[in-house]
Amino acid sequence: MKKNLIQKLWKENPKLYKILKESENLKEARKKLFKFSKDLEWKHREGEEELHKLEYAAALEAQKVFNDLISLRNEVIVGFSTLDYLWSIAQDNQELTEEIDDGFLEEFIHLFKAMKGNADISSGWLKPLLERNGVEIIDFTKVEGRDAGMARSKYLDKVYEKVFNFIKRYPSGCEDELVKEREENRKKILDYFGASLDDWQDYYWHLKHIFQDKDDLDNLKKLVPLTKDDIKAIEIAIENKIPFGITPYYLSLFDFSRSDRKYDYQVRSQVLPPMHYVTLMKEHRKERSYYFDFMGEHDTSPEELITRRYPMISILKPYDTCPQICVYCQRNWEITGPMMPEAIPNKESLDKALDWFANHSSMKDVLITGGDPLALGDEKIKYIMDRLCQMEHVINIRWGTRTPVTVPMRITDKLAKLIGSYIKPGKRNVCIVTHIESSSEVTPELAEAVMKLRKQGIYVYNQLVYTLETSRRFQNVAARIAMKKAGVDPYYTFYPKGKEEHKDYLVPVARLWQEREEEARLLPGQFRTDEPVFNVPRLGKNHVRAWQDRELIGLNKEGRRIYLWHPWEKGIASVEPYIYKDLPIYKYLQELAKRGENIEEYKSIWYYY
C-alpha cells in the first residue's frame, strides 16, 4: 500500500521528485523547491497554462501552503521538518519511510494535484453524483431569459432531490416512527421501575433515577443491549469517579433493539464513554483538575466560580454538575458525577462571585453555566437573577443548559415564566443557550420545552459540538432543520479541540470548514445562523471561516496538520498564537468508511487548509 502511494506521489509531480532526489541536503532542497514553487506560481499568473478560475485560486493557495510547509521558520516553531520527511522518501531512506503514515503521503498527493491546478474544485463534489443519476449539467452562460430561469429551476430541483436523500438519513425525533419507538422505550423504563406517566412528567423522578452507579448499571443492562466494551468502560468510570450519568428520559432515545449503534450512534456517543477515555481519565485521576483543564480555566478565573477571557462578558458557574454527563465535556476535570451535592457552592462563594459582577461595570453579558445551572431549584435561580438584574450594566443574561435535551420536563411553565419575567424590552434581554447534537435529539418533549420559553419572550440558541458522530455529509444540516422547526436558532458549531482523552470524537478542522461551505450553504440563511469556531485553549473563540487567522505550518509523520492559530486579540493586544496538532484527514476518512460512508463524497476535504 505505502509503495503504491509513494509511486502515486511522485507521479503527481516528477519535477519535485527530481529536485528532492538530486539535492544533497535539506538546505539545497529547500532553496530549489522554493524557486520551483515560485516559478510555477509565476507561470499560473502569466496564464501560460489555461486554468479554470477556481482551479487557479486553489493552485495559488496550495503553493502558499507548500511554501509554508518547507519553511525553515515553521520547522523551528513545530520542532520537526516536514521537508526532511519528503526528502527522505525521495532518497529512499527505508528506516524513516517506514515511520511515515499513509496520511502524510495522501496529503502531499492532493497538495501536488492542487499546485498544478488539478484539484477539480471547479466541478464541485455534487456534479459527478448528479451525472450518475442522469442529470444534465447545463452551461448557463449559453441560455438566457425565461429559458435560463426554467433550466436553472429544473436543475436546482435535482440538486434538492440529491441533498434531500442525504438529509433523510438523519430523521428528527419528532417524526412519527421515532416518536412511537420511544414511547415503547418509555413504557419499558416505567414498567421496570413500577412508575407511571405522571412520574415521567415529573423532572424530580428523572433526577432520582439517573443511571450512574453499579446498581444503575445492572438496571441499564436489563433495559438496553450494551456491548462488552460499553459495560467495561462504564464499570471503570464508576469505580474511578469518572463523570458518567444518563437520565431515564435520554435513555428512552436509545435504540432498544440492538447494541451496535447502527441507528442511535449519535445518542449513545453522548453518554457511553469509550475505553480510551476512561483509561486516560483513570491514569490521571489524581491530577485531573489540572491535567484535563484544556482551556486553562484555572488561569482565567479572577474569582471563584468565574471565568473571564473577554472584555465585556464572563462566565458564572453556580452549579458544578449536571443531570447527565456528556462524555466530551470541556469541564470533565472538575465535574465528578451527575447531581453531586458538593457541586453546589456555599452562599458566601456565590455572593462573592455576584459581587464581582456588581463591581465590574464592563460586564454587559453574563453566561451562567457549569455544569447545568437549570438543574438548580427555582429559588436559587430566582436569587441569582434578582442579584444580576440589580446591576444596571448587565444587559444580557444567558443560561447555558442541556436540560431541554436531557430532561425537558425541567422546563416547567413556572420556570419559564420566572426567567422571562426579568426581560425588559430595550433594557435587558435573557436567553437560553442549549446543546443539541443531532436531529434525533429534537423530540416533541424538547419542542414543548422550547415553546414554553419562547412564549415568555426567551430566545433559545444552540451550540453544537462537531464530533466524529455528528460530522457525516448533511448530518448537521438535518440537525439545523430539526432545530428551526422546534424554535431553536443555531448559534455556534464548535470544533471539539484536541483534548487527548477525547480522541474518539475528533474531526479534522478541514471537515468543519468543508461542511460550512458545501452543505450548510445550501440551506436558507436563517437556518444556518451558526458560526463555526475553534476554541483556542486559554485564549477563546476563533472563527474557522477566517482563514487569515490560522496558518498551516507543518505536517508530521502521522499526517497531522500543524496549525498556528492567531489569537482573537490580534490587532488589539500582544498575545502569542497557539500551536495545534490536528487529526489526520486520512484517519478521519477511514473512520467514516468503517461507518459505511462513501469517502469519495468527501474528496474535496483535502483542499480546505
Side-chain angles (χ1 to χ4, degrees), residues 115-389:
M115 289 173 70
K116 293 187 301 181
N118 293 339
D120 198 25
I121 293 290
S122 55
S123 64
W125 73 276
L126 268 175
K127 179 183 175 182
L129 303 186
L130 294 170
E131 287 177 328
R132 281 203 292 270
N133 289 350
V135 177
E136 181 185 358
I137 308 299
I138 297 173
D139 183 351
F140 291 109
T141 64
K142 296 180 179 178
V143 285
E144 297 178 347
R146 184 59 54 82
D147 288 341
M150 292 173 65
R152 184 176 293 277
S153 180
K154 185 177 179 180
Y155 170 73
L156 291 174
D157 282 341
K158 295 298 182 182
V159 171
Y160 169 76
E161 286 175 17
K162 192 64 185 176
V163 168
F164 181 71
N165 284 335
F166 279 101
I167 294 172
K168 70 182 183 181
R169 295 192 296 177
Y170 314 108
S172 162
C174 287
E175 292 183 17
D176 292 344
E177 188 175 344
L178 268 182
V179 170
K180 183 179 178 181
E181 177 186 312
R182 287 160 174 184
E183 285 175 349
E184 292 171 358
N185 295 347
R186 179 184 67 194
K187 184 177 186 306
K188 186 174 181 180
I189 295 169
L190 288 173
D191 288 348
Y192 183 82
F193 287 112
S196 66
L197 266 178
D198 287 340
D199 291 323
W200 190 261
Q201 297 303 325
D202 182 357
Y203 73 89
Y204 285 110
W205 183 87
H206 288 270
L207 298 183
K208 185 179 178 182
H209 290 86
I210 296 169
F211 298 90
Q212 58 180 311
D213 58 27
K214 287 184 179 180
D215 291 337
D216 295 327
L217 177 56
D218 290 336
N219 293 333
L220 203 57
K221 288 189 288 186
K222 292 170 185 174
L223 285 165
V224 296
L226 298 169
T227 66
K228 290 181 180 179
D229 282 349
D230 287 337
I231 294 168
K232 182 62 177 174
I234 294 170
E235 287 173 344
I236 294 173
I238 292 169
E239 289 168 6
N240 293 277
K241 295 186 177 180
I242 297 167
F244 167 76
I246 309 173
T247 66
Y249 165 79
Y250 199 80
L251 185 67
S252 74
L253 307 189
F254 279 42
D255 179 357
F256 277 33
S257 68
R258 57 201 300 162
S259 64
D260 61 4
R261 305 190 183 198
K262 183 174 182 180
Y263 301 115
D264 64 355
Y265 56 89
Q266 298 161 296
V267 170
R268 291 196 184 216
S269 67
Q270 291 295 294
V271 288
L272 299 183
M275 193 62 71
H276 168 79
Y277 170 79
V278 295
T279 301
L280 199 62
M281 290 288 285
K282 176 183 176 181
E283 181 183 340
H284 295 282
R285 62 186 182 276
K286 292 182 179 179
E287 52 183 325
R288 187 170 77 187
S289 74
Y290 277 88
Y291 188 88
F292 296 109
D293 180 15
F294 193 73
M295 288 303 295
E297 293 196 38
H298 286 92
D299 301 330
T300 51
S301 178
E303 178 66 59
E304 188 181 356
L305 311 184
I306 295 173
T307 298
R308 183 182 188 184
R309 293 193 192 94
Y310 306 102
M312 291 187 281
I313 174 177
S314 290
I315 290 172
L316 173 65
K317 298 184 287 187
Y319 196 43
D320 210 10
T321 188
C322 307
Q324 178 170 293
I325 308 299
C326 299
V327 175
Y328 50 78
C329 178
Q330 179 174 301
R331 298 194 177 98
N332 58 6
W333 52 273
E334 61 179 352
I335 293 174
T336 56
M339 304 304 292
M340 303 297 289
E342 62 268 27
I344 302 179
N346 58 46
K347 188 175 184 300
E348 182 183 0
S349 296
L350 179 60
D351 280 336
K352 283 185 70 175
L354 290 167
D355 289 343
W356 184 92
F357 279 98
N359 294 328
H360 285 77
S361 58
S362 58
M363 292 297 100
K364 306 303 179 189
D365 191 351
V366 181
L367 171 57
I368 306 168
T369 182
D372 194 325
L374 287 194
L376 290 167
D378 289 359
E379 285 305 310
K380 183 61 67 73
I381 291 170
K382 182 179 186 303
Y383 179 76
I384 293 169
M385 291 298 285
D386 284 344
R387 285 290 316 271
L388 288 173
C389 292

Side-chain angles (χ1 to χ4, degrees), residues 36 81 242 377 419 434 521 538:
F36 168 84
S81 173
I242 297 167
I419 295 174
T434 191
R521 188 63 184 84
R538 300 176 180 272

